[in-house]
Amino acid sequence: MLDIPLYSSRRFAYLLGKFLFVASPLDLPWSDKALSGGLAARFEQAVFQDEETRRAIEDAFSVLQSRLSQVALEFNSDYAFGVDWEVKRYLRAYGFGVDFVEDEPLIDKLIKFLMLAKDASVKKTLLFVNLKLFLTETELDLFLEQAFFSRLQV
């Protein structure tokens, strides 16, 4: 147990780090570090577990590097790639993320958000503020059911 006074700034910062705040379900934090980092780590793990997939991705990246290096020969200075291929960097560079339609129902977005948190193995507690104001009773029940079966801390 941490021996931190109840109202200290360290305790407050510690407690804030334990939650993923969703201040408004109309503005879901899709790019939160806990989500994007967790998802990238899970993808990287999945890619490296499947040798065939890993090899195919590395080959494709090698072709991309080769083509870009050929283009770089047309320039005056010498250019090269500074880092080796990494799944996390690739996902970030190409904006990999949840596919949703902007005008889809709010409940569908919320369920996709829960599934993203589950896929990212988020350890933080998801804290939704005033969610009842945005959902019907049936939608709230559906959301809570999905949260329960996802085994996330909501």
Side-chain angles (χ1 to χ4, degrees):
M1 181 76 186
L2 293 174
D3 187 24
I4 302 172
L6 182 61
Y7 295 105
S8 78
S9 60
R10 279 185 32 209
R11 180 176 177 87
F12 184 71
Y14 171 79
L15 291 174
L16 278 179
K18 296 291 184 184
F19 294 97
L20 196 159
F21 288 95
V22 180
S24 169
L26 301 176
D27 187 26
L28 295 168
W30 296 103
S31 59
D32 184 89
K33 285 184 179 182
L35 296 169
S36 60
L39 184 62
R42 291 274 318 273
F43 257 84
E44 188 171 55
Q45 183 182 38
V47 165
F48 287 117
Q49 285 179 349
D50 183 352
E51 183 68 24
E52 184 179 331
T53 300
R54 183 189 60 77
R55 195 170 304 131
I57 292 172
E58 286 177 349
D59 291 346
F61 186 71
S62 178
V63 169
L64 177 63
Q65 277 186 319
S66 174
R67 296 292 172 133
L68 290 173
S69 294
Q70 288 173 357
V71 171
L73 291 175
E74 297 175 17
F75 291 85
N76 295 316
S77 191
D78 294 330
Y79 297 97
F81 288 92
V83 295
D84 290 329
W85 177 84
E86 292 180 9
V87 174
K88 289 180 187 179
R89 287 181 190 235
Y90 180 81
L91 295 174
R92 221 174 287 130
Y94 289 98
F96 185 80
V98 175
D99 184 26
F100 66 92
V101 179
E102 199 60 43
D103 61 348
E104 72 181 328
L106 178 60
I107 186 63
D108 293 343
K109 288 181 186 177
L110 286 166
I111 291 172
K112 283 183 180 181
F113 186 78
L114 284 177
M115 296 304 105
L116 169 61
K118 180 180 179 176
D119 290 341
S121 300
V122 170
K123 302 293 183 229
K124 293 181 175 186
T125 300
L126 303 178
L127 182 62
F128 291 87
V129 179
N130 294 324
L131 190 58
K132 288 182 181 180
L133 299 177
F134 296 91
L135 300 175
T136 66
E137 189 174 326
T138 305
E139 290 173 333
L140 184 61
D141 288 344
L142 176 61
F143 176 81
L144 293 174
E145 180 181 300
Q146 291 294 321
F148 176 79
F149 287 116
S150 71
R151 296 187 177 195
L152 291 168
Q153 295 179 23
V154 179

PDB file of all heavy atoms in Angstrom, residues 14-37:
ATOM      1  N   TYR A  14      -1.401   9.430  -9.449  1.00  0.00           N
ATOM      2  CA  TYR A  14      -1.406   7.963  -9.406  1.00  0.00           C
ATOM      3  C   TYR A  14      -2.793   7.423  -9.736  1.00  0.00           C
ATOM      4  O   TYR A  14      -2.950   6.515 -10.555  1.00  0.00           O
ATOM      5  CB  TYR A  14      -0.947   7.478  -8.026  1.00  0.00           C
ATOM      6  CG  TYR A  14      -1.134   6.003  -7.812  1.00  0.00           C
ATOM      7  CD1 TYR A  14      -0.233   5.101  -8.355  1.00  0.00           C
ATOM      8  CD2 TYR A  14      -2.215   5.511  -7.080  1.00  0.00           C
ATOM      9  CE1 TYR A  14      -0.397   3.733  -8.168  1.00  0.00           C
ATOM     10  CE2 TYR A  14      -2.389   4.160  -6.893  1.00  0.00           C
ATOM     11  CZ  TYR A  14      -1.479   3.276  -7.428  1.00  0.00           C
ATOM     12  OH  TYR A  14      -1.651   1.919  -7.248  1.00  0.00           O
ATOM     13  N   LEU A  15      -3.817   8.018  -9.114  1.00  0.00           N
ATOM     14  CA  LEU A  15      -5.187   7.567  -9.353  1.00  0.00           C
ATOM     15  C   LEU A  15      -5.637   7.871 -10.781  1.00  0.00           C
ATOM     16  O   LEU A  15      -6.311   7.055 -11.405  1.00  0.00           O
ATOM     17  CB  LEU A  15      -6.140   8.213  -8.352  1.00  0.00           C
ATOM     18  CG  LEU A  15      -5.987   7.734  -6.908  1.00  0.00           C
ATOM     19  CD1 LEU A  15      -6.877   8.539  -5.974  1.00  0.00           C
ATOM     20  CD2 LEU A  15      -6.277   6.255  -6.790  1.00  0.00           C
ATOM     21  N   LEU A  16      -5.254   9.013 -11.323  1.00  0.00           N
ATOM     22  CA  LEU A  16      -5.610   9.351 -12.706  1.00  0.00           C
ATOM     23  C   LEU A  16      -5.038   8.331 -13.677  1.00  0.00           C
ATOM     24  O   LEU A  16      -5.661   8.002 -14.681  1.00  0.00           O
ATOM     25  CB  LEU A  16      -5.086  10.741 -13.075  1.00  0.00           C
ATOM     26  CG  LEU A  16      -5.929  11.920 -12.630  1.00  0.00           C
ATOM     27  CD1 LEU A  16      -5.255  13.226 -13.045  1.00  0.00           C
ATOM     28  CD2 LEU A  16      -7.327  11.857 -13.169  1.00  0.00           C
ATOM     29  N   GLY A  17      -3.856   7.828 -13.380  1.00  0.00           N
ATOM     30  CA  GLY A  17      -3.210   6.846 -14.241  1.00  0.00           C
ATOM     31  C   GLY A  17      -3.914   5.504 -14.253  1.00  0.00           C
ATOM     32  O   GLY A  17      -3.660   4.675 -15.125  1.00  0.00           O
ATOM     33  N   LYS A  18      -4.799   5.266 -13.318  1.00  0.00           N
ATOM     34  CA  LYS A  18      -5.521   4.000 -13.232  1.00  0.00           C
ATOM     35  C   LYS A  18      -6.808   3.987 -14.050  1.00  0.00           C
ATOM     36  O   LYS A  18      -7.454   2.961 -14.168  1.00  0.00           O
ATOM     37  CB  LYS A  18      -5.873   3.680 -11.771  1.00  0.00           C
ATOM     38  CG  LYS A  18      -4.669   3.458 -10.887  1.00  0.00           C
ATOM     39  CD  LYS A  18      -3.996   2.181 -11.270  1.00  0.00           C
ATOM     40  CE  LYS A  18      -2.837   1.861 -10.365  1.00  0.00           C
ATOM     41  NZ  LYS A  18      -2.135   0.670 -10.788  1.00  0.00           N
ATOM     42  N   PHE A  19      -7.184   5.153 -14.600  1.00  0.00           N
ATOM     43  CA  PHE A  19      -8.442   5.279 -15.325  1.00  0.00           C
ATOM     44  C   PHE A  19      -8.220   5.739 -16.755  1.00  0.00           C
ATOM     45  O   PHE A  19      -7.293   6.479 -17.049  1.00  0.00           O
ATOM     46  CB  PHE A  19      -9.367   6.301 -14.645  1.00  0.00           C
ATOM     47  CG  PHE A  19      -9.838   5.887 -13.291  1.00  0.00           C
ATOM     48  CD1 PHE A  19      -9.193   6.340 -12.159  1.00  0.00           C
ATOM     49  CD2 PHE A  19     -10.922   5.033 -13.145  1.00  0.00           C
ATOM     50  CE1 PHE A  19      -9.619   5.946 -10.903  1.00  0.00           C
ATOM     51  CE2 PHE A  19     -11.360   4.645 -11.897  1.00  0.00           C
ATOM     52  CZ  PHE A  19     -10.700   5.105 -10.768  1.00  0.00           C
ATOM     53  N   LEU A  20      -9.098   5.298 -17.634  1.00  0.00           N
ATOM     54  CA  LEU A  20      -9.182   5.847 -18.984  1.00  0.00           C
ATOM     55  C   LEU A  20     -10.511   6.593 -19.003  1.00  0.00           C
ATOM     56  O   LEU A  20     -11.571   5.973 -19.012  1.00  0.00           O
ATOM     57  CB  LEU A  20      -9.154   4.737 -20.035  1.00  0.00           C
ATOM     58  CG  LEU A  20      -8.862   5.178 -21.462  1.00  0.00           C
ATOM     59  CD1 LEU A  20      -8.371   3.986 -22.269  1.00  0.00           C
ATOM     60  CD2 LEU A  20      -9.997   5.846 -22.122  1.00  0.00           C
ATOM     61  N   PHE A  21     -10.429   7.923 -18.925  1.00  0.00           N
ATOM     62  CA  PHE A  21     -11.628   8.751 -18.825  1.00  0.00           C
ATOM     63  C   PHE A  21     -12.287   8.944 -20.181  1.00  0.00           C
ATOM     64  O   PHE A  21     -11.630   9.242 -21.164  1.00  0.00           O
ATOM     65  CB  PHE A  21     -11.286  10.130 -18.246  1.00  0.00           C
ATOM     66  CG  PHE A  21     -10.951  10.097 -16.792  1.00  0.00           C
ATOM     67  CD1 PHE A  21      -9.636  10.007 -16.384  1.00  0.00           C
ATOM     68  CD2 PHE A  21     -11.951  10.134 -15.839  1.00  0.00           C
ATOM     69  CE1 PHE A  21      -9.314   9.971 -15.041  1.00  0.00           C
ATOM     70  CE2 PHE A  21     -11.646  10.094 -14.491  1.00  0.00           C
ATOM     71  CZ  PHE A  21     -10.316  10.013 -14.089  1.00  0.00           C
ATOM     72  N   VAL A  22     -13.597   8.774 -20.200  1.00  0.00           N
ATOM     73  CA  VAL A  22     -14.400   9.089 -21.380  1.00  0.00           C
ATOM     74  C   VAL A  22     -15.373  10.174 -20.926  1.00  0.00           C
ATOM     75  O   VAL A  22     -16.429   9.878 -20.383  1.00  0.00           O
ATOM     76  CB  VAL A  22     -15.138   7.844 -21.925  1.00  0.00           C
ATOM     77  CG1 VAL A  22     -15.960   8.218 -23.145  1.00  0.00           C
ATOM     78  CG2 VAL A  22     -14.156   6.730 -22.244  1.00  0.00           C
ATOM     79  N   ALA A  23     -14.956  11.421 -21.124  1.00  0.00           N
ATOM     80  CA  ALA A  23     -15.747  12.553 -20.644  1.00  0.00           C
ATOM     81  C   ALA A  23     -17.064  12.677 -21.403  1.00  0.00           C
ATOM     82  O   ALA A  23     -18.069  13.081 -20.838  1.00  0.00           O
ATOM     83  CB  ALA A  23     -14.946  13.840 -20.766  1.00  0.00           C
ATOM     84  N   SER A  24     -17.033  12.321 -22.692  1.00  0.00           N
ATOM     85  CA  SER A  24     -18.241  12.377 -23.496  1.00  0.00           C
ATOM     86  C   SER A  24     -18.236  11.217 -24.489  1.00  0.00           C
ATOM     87  O   SER A  24     -17.266  11.047 -25.222  1.00  0.00           O
ATOM     88  CB  SER A  24     -18.312  13.698 -24.276  1.00  0.00           C
ATOM     89  OG  SER A  24     -19.353  13.640 -25.230  1.00  0.00           O
ATOM     90  N   PRO A  25     -19.301  10.437 -24.513  1.00  0.00           N
ATOM     91  CA  PRO A  25     -19.359   9.340 -25.487  1.00  0.00           C
ATOM     92  C   PRO A  25     -19.429   9.841 -26.928  1.00  0.00           C
ATOM     93  O   PRO A  25     -19.237   9.074 -27.863  1.00  0.00           O
ATOM     94  CB  PRO A  25     -20.620   8.573 -25.103  1.00  0.00           C
ATOM     95  CG  PRO A  25     -21.433   9.519 -24.308  1.00  0.00           C
ATOM     96  CD  PRO A  25     -20.486  10.476 -23.661  1.00  0.00           C
ATOM     97  N   LEU A  26     -19.663  11.139 -27.095  1.00  0.00           N
ATOM     98  CA  LEU A  26     -19.684  11.720 -28.442  1.00  0.00           C
ATOM     99  C   LEU A  26     -18.267  11.986 -28.946  1.00  0.00           C
ATOM    100  O   LEU A  26     -18.065  12.239 -30.127  1.00  0.00           O
ATOM    101  CB  LEU A  26     -20.497  13.021 -28.455  1.00  0.00           C
ATOM    102  CG  LEU A  26     -21.952  12.883 -28.016  1.00  0.00           C
ATOM    103  CD1 LEU A  26     -22.621  14.260 -27.978  1.00  0.00           C
ATOM    104  CD2 LEU A  26     -22.704  11.932 -28.922  1.00  0.00           C
ATOM    105  N   ASP A  27     -17.296  11.935 -28.036  1.00  0.00           N
ATOM    106  CA  ASP A  27     -15.896  12.185 -28.381  1.00  0.00           C
ATOM    107  C   ASP A  27     -15.031  11.105 -27.728  1.00  0.00           C
ATOM    108  O   ASP A  27     -14.295  11.373 -26.776  1.00  0.00           O
ATOM    109  CB  ASP A  27     -15.489  13.584 -27.908  1.00  0.00           C
ATOM    110  CG  ASP A  27     -14.104  13.969 -28.370  1.00  0.00           C
ATOM    111  OD1 ASP A  27     -13.647  13.438 -29.405  1.00  0.00           O
ATOM    112  OD2 ASP A  27     -13.465  14.798 -27.691  1.00  0.00           O
ATOM    113  N   LEU A  28     -15.140   9.887 -28.237  1.00  0.00           N
ATOM    114  CA  LEU A  28     -14.426   8.756 -27.650  1.00  0.00           C
ATOM    115  C   LEU A  28     -12.916   8.885 -27.899  1.00  0.00           C
ATOM    116  O   LEU A  28     -12.503   9.263 -28.995  1.00  0.00           O
ATOM    117  CB  LEU A  28     -14.946   7.443 -28.231  1.00  0.00           C
ATOM    118  CG  LEU A  28     -16.402   7.131 -27.880  1.00  0.00           C
ATOM    119  CD1 LEU A  28     -16.921   5.977 -28.733  1.00  0.00           C
ATOM    120  CD2 LEU A  28     -16.538   6.807 -26.409  1.00  0.00           C
ATOM    121  N   PRO A  29     -12.098   8.559 -26.910  1.00  0.00           N
ATOM    122  CA  PRO A  29     -10.642   8.699 -27.046  1.00  0.00           C
ATOM    123  C   PRO A  29     -10.012   7.534 -27.816  1.00  0.00           C
ATOM    124  O   PRO A  29      -9.234   6.733 -27.273  1.00  0.00           O
ATOM    125  CB  PRO A  29     -10.160   8.740 -25.596  1.00  0.00           C
ATOM    126  CG  PRO A  29     -11.165   7.931 -24.850  1.00  0.00           C
ATOM    127  CD  PRO A  29     -12.479   8.170 -25.552  1.00  0.00           C
ATOM    128  N   TRP A  30     -10.309   7.426 -29.100  1.00  0.00           N
ATOM    129  CA  TRP A  30      -9.845   6.317 -29.926  1.00  0.00           C
ATOM    130  C   TRP A  30      -8.328   6.205 -29.951  1.00  0.00           C
ATOM    131  O   TRP A  30      -7.788   5.116 -30.085  1.00  0.00           O
ATOM    132  CB  TRP A  30     -10.361   6.468 -31.356  1.00  0.00           C
ATOM    133  CG  TRP A  30     -11.837   6.399 -31.491  1.00  0.00           C
ATOM    134  CD1 TRP A  30     -12.689   7.441 -31.672  1.00  0.00           C
ATOM    135  CD2 TRP A  30     -12.662   5.224 -31.455  1.00  0.00           C
ATOM    136  NE1 TRP A  30     -13.985   6.993 -31.757  1.00  0.00           N
ATOM    137  CE2 TRP A  30     -13.999   5.632 -31.630  1.00  0.00           C
ATOM    138  CE3 TRP A  30     -12.388   3.866 -31.290  1.00  0.00           C
ATOM    139  CZ2 TRP A  30     -15.063   4.740 -31.655  1.00  0.00           C
ATOM    140  CZ3 TRP A  30     -13.449   2.973 -31.309  1.00  0.00           C
ATOM    141  CH2 TRP A  30     -14.769   3.410 -31.487  1.00  0.00           C
ATOM    142  N   SER A  31      -7.629   7.322 -29.857  1.00  0.00           N
ATOM    143  CA  SER A  31      -6.174   7.297 -30.000  1.00  0.00           C
ATOM    144  C   SER A  31      -5.434   7.374 -28.667  1.00  0.00           C
ATOM    145  O   SER A  31      -4.244   7.687 -28.646  1.00  0.00           O
ATOM    146  CB  SER A  31      -5.721   8.440 -30.916  1.00  0.00           C
ATOM    147  OG  SER A  31      -6.133   9.678 -30.379  1.00  0.00           O
ATOM    148  N   ASP A  32      -6.105   7.086 -27.576  1.00  0.00           N
ATOM    149  CA  ASP A  32      -5.447   7.071 -26.271  1.00  0.00           C
ATOM    150  C   ASP A  32      -4.259   6.109 -26.309  1.00  0.00           C
ATOM    151  O   ASP A  32      -4.315   5.049 -26.942  1.00  0.00           O
ATOM    152  CB  ASP A  32      -6.448   6.628 -25.191  1.00  0.00           C
ATOM    153  CG  ASP A  32      -5.853   6.677 -23.808  1.00  0.00           C
ATOM    154  OD1 ASP A  32      -5.947   7.740 -23.168  1.00  0.00           O
ATOM    155  OD2 ASP A  32      -5.279   5.655 -23.370  1.00  0.00           O
ATOM    156  N   LYS A  33      -3.168   6.475 -25.621  1.00  0.00           N
ATOM    157  CA  LYS A  33      -1.950   5.655 -25.651  1.00  0.00           C
ATOM    158  C   LYS A  33      -2.183   4.239 -25.136  1.00  0.00           C
ATOM    159  O   LYS A  33      -1.586   3.290 -25.643  1.00  0.00           O
ATOM    160  CB  LYS A  33      -0.842   6.319 -24.840  1.00  0.00           C
ATOM    161  CG  LYS A  33      -0.221   7.491 -25.528  1.00  0.00           C
ATOM    162  CD  LYS A  33       0.936   8.040 -24.717  1.00  0.00           C
ATOM    163  CE  LYS A  33       1.567   9.206 -25.438  1.00  0.00           C
ATOM    164  NZ  LYS A  33       2.723   9.721 -24.703  1.00  0.00           N
ATOM    165  N   ALA A  34      -3.024   4.093 -24.140  1.00  0.00           N
ATOM    166  CA  ALA A  34      -3.299   2.753 -23.612  1.00  0.00           C
ATOM    167  C   ALA A  34      -3.954   1.878 -24.673  1.00  0.00           C
ATOM    168  O   ALA A  34      -3.698   0.672 -24.746  1.00  0.00           O
ATOM    169  CB  ALA A  34      -4.187   2.834 -22.368  1.00  0.00           C
ATOM    170  N   LEU A  35      -4.783   2.487 -25.505  1.00  0.00           N
ATOM    171  CA  LEU A  35      -5.461   1.737 -26.559  1.00  0.00           C
ATOM    172  C   LEU A  35      -4.541   1.470 -27.747  1.00  0.00           C
ATOM    173  O   LEU A  35      -4.369   0.329 -28.172  1.00  0.00           O
ATOM    174  CB  LEU A  35      -6.705   2.497 -27.037  1.00  0.00           C
ATOM    175  CG  LEU A  35      -7.805   2.693 -25.999  1.00  0.00           C
ATOM    176  CD1 LEU A  35      -8.841   3.681 -26.508  1.00  0.00           C
ATOM    177  CD2 LEU A  35      -8.447   1.372 -25.653  1.00  0.00           C
ATOM    178  N   SER A  36      -3.941   2.532 -28.286  1.00  0.00           N
ATOM    179  CA  SER A  36      -3.100   2.356 -29.482  1.00  0.00           C
ATOM    180  C   SER A  36      -1.855   1.537 -29.168  1.00  0.00           C
ATOM    181  O   SER A  36      -1.465   0.671 -29.952  1.00  0.00           O
ATOM    182  CB  SER A  36      -2.734   3.709 -30.081  1.00  0.00           C
ATOM    183  OG  SER A  36      -2.024   4.501 -29.149  1.00  0.00           O
ATOM    184  N   GLY A  37      -1.242   1.787 -28.035  1.00  0.00           N
ATOM    185  CA  GLY A  37      -0.052   1.022 -27.659  1.00  0.00           C
ATOM    186  C   GLY A  37      -0.366  -0.433 -27.377  1.00  0.00           C
ATOM    187  O   GLY A  37       0.364  -1.333 -27.792  1.00  0.00           O
TER     188      GLY A  37
END
